[in-house]
Amino acid sequence: MARSKLSFPEHFHFTAIIPIRITDLNYGGHVGNDAVLSLIHEARSQFLKHHNYTEMNLEGIGLIMSDVTIEFKSEIFYGDVLNVFVAPKDFTRVSFDLYYKLTDSKTEKNFALAKTGMVCYDYASKKVVSVPEKARTALLS
């Protein structure tokens, strides 16, 4: 079976620090795959907030996640504290990708790697729109 393989940016300029909650665990006693997606969402929200944006206001337009890829590397347990590194890459006229590296804050062990495709969307007109140049510049800084 073919496996997903991500091509990561060279530099990550933002780090979200996220402690694992008991509610992130599944019946196996480790963080569930659905919780990893939630952790990525939290990191994305913190990244956008760092740049004075939200998913509903990126220079006046919204964002929609069009796809996600997650490579699971190691189990994550209750009490672990994650460093979630976030970086944008692969901008097109209407979209860009965000890359995530989830590591243990103490040992730097890789837990997961991920990518989300983000599409710029005008919720009022219900149409895909161009990435605002001001936002592109800000997110890359």
Side-chain angles (χ1 to χ4, degrees):
M1 179 167 96
R3 300 278 183 216
S4 298
K5 196 69 178 162
L6 298 172
S7 174
F8 273 76
E10 290 185 28
H11 302 287
F12 288 84
H13 299 288
F14 178 81
T15 307
I17 299 169
I18 304 174
I20 298 303
R21 306 163 306 162
I22 197 71
T23 56
D24 295 324
L25 304 185
N26 65 14
Y27 55 85
H30 55 250
V31 171
N33 55 14
D34 58 328
V36 172
L37 187 58
S38 292
L39 293 166
I40 291 166
H41 186 176
E42 175 63 29
R44 180 173 60 251
S45 294
Q46 288 186 30
F47 171 74
L48 291 170
K49 183 177 181 182
H50 173 77
H51 293 288
N52 297 313
Y53 296 125
T54 68
E55 290 188 18
M56 294 303 293
N57 187 4
L58 185 80
E59 296 299 328
I61 54 106
L63 291 171
I64 293 178
M65 185 174 71
S66 62
D67 60 82
V68 63
T69 301
I70 301 173
E71 294 179 23
F72 299 98
K73 301 295 186 183
S74 181
E75 292 176 301
I76 308 169
F77 296 101
Y78 178 69
D80 287 336
V81 177
L82 305 185
N83 285 335
V84 183
F85 301 95
V86 184
K89 185 180 169 189
D90 303 327
F91 281 82
T92 70
R93 185 181 67 79
V94 298
S95 67
F96 59 93
D97 292 332
L98 287 175
Y99 287 82
Y100 311 83
K101 183 166 56 169
L102 291 73
T103 66
D104 185 288
S105 65
K106 294 178 190 164
T107 66
E108 298 181 8
K109 178 180 182 178
N110 276 340
F111 289 129
L113 305 172
K115 177 196 78 77
T116 55
M118 305 305 296
V119 176
C120 293
Y121 189 74
D122 182 330
Y123 281 89
S125 66
K126 304 285 189 208
K127 293 183 181 180
V128 172
V129 295
S130 296
V131 176
E133 189 57 38
K134 184 175 178 183
R136 177 187 173 129
T137 301
L139 296 178
L140 287 169
S141 66

